[in-house]
Amino acid sequence: MAPHIVETGEFAGWRIWPDDPFEQTAGPFYMRDGAEGPEMAFRLERKHLNGMGSVHGGCLMSFADFALFGIAHEALKPSGYGITVAFTSEFLAGAREGALMEARGETLRAGGSLIFVRGVITADGIPCLNFSGTLKRLRERAGS
């Protein structure tokens, strides 16, 4: 399924992938093509917090995995599909409810089937997670 353009609210004009039930539950997470490359974002809600009232590490890692694909979306063509084969991250800071979470990064190398990506997630502009990953480009959607 193609991405869906959000028509209302804070993220109007951004894209979501409505066919990914986990991302819709964990996020929803949004993507757009910005002036300096792909941008991913979401607003931190209570459901994203741990017991101490800070963003849950699993939420950050889920968003980072989403961001890997947003950053590499051009390199994933022609099918647009891929899978994560490696992922690393370092926690830099926490974030509180209401923060605007954003991710940006770059594709370091796109080979025949492997794509190497790195990026940073910020909370209201403050770096809170550094991440990198390797994606394997698929010829068609997994399970097809």
Side-chain angles (χ1 to χ4, degrees):
M1 177 181 274
H4 171 77
I5 305 295
V6 176
E7 296 181 11
T8 61
E10 176 181 12
F11 294 99
W14 292 64
R15 298 185 305 271
I16 60 169
W17 280 260
D19 63 335
D20 192 316
F22 179 79
E23 287 174 5
Q24 290 304 306
T25 300
F29 301 140
Y30 303 89
M31 182 192 147
R32 70 178 175 189
D33 294 319
E36 297 180 26
E39 301 173 344
M40 286 60 57
F42 75 104
R43 182 67 64 183
L44 200 58
E45 300 175 20
R46 180 163 173 70
K47 70 178 185 175
H48 301 122
L49 306 179
N50 61 26
M52 295 185 301
S54 186
V55 62
H56 193 286
C59 176
L60 287 176
M61 291 187 288
S62 293
F63 182 50
D65 186 60
F66 169 83
L68 289 173
F69 288 85
I71 294 164
H73 76 277
E74 287 296 321
L76 286 164
K77 291 181 178 177
S79 75
Y81 296 107
I83 57 172
T84 306
V85 296
F87 176 83
T88 61
S89 62
E90 294 84 33
F91 297 99
L92 306 173
R96 297 287 182 187
E97 186 173 355
L100 177 61
M101 308 302 292
E102 297 177 283
R104 291 182 178 79
E106 63 183 326
T107 298
L108 299 172
R109 183 172 187 274
S113 65
L114 295 179
I115 304 165
F116 301 88
V117 181
R118 70 176 170 198
V120 174
I121 294 174
T122 60
D124 291 331
I126 298 168
C128 61
L129 185 84
N130 179 61
F131 64 93
S132 63
T134 305
L135 307 178
K136 179 173 177 51
R137 184 184 303 112
L138 300 177
R139 289 191 181 113
E140 58 187 45
R141 185 177 182 165
S144 295

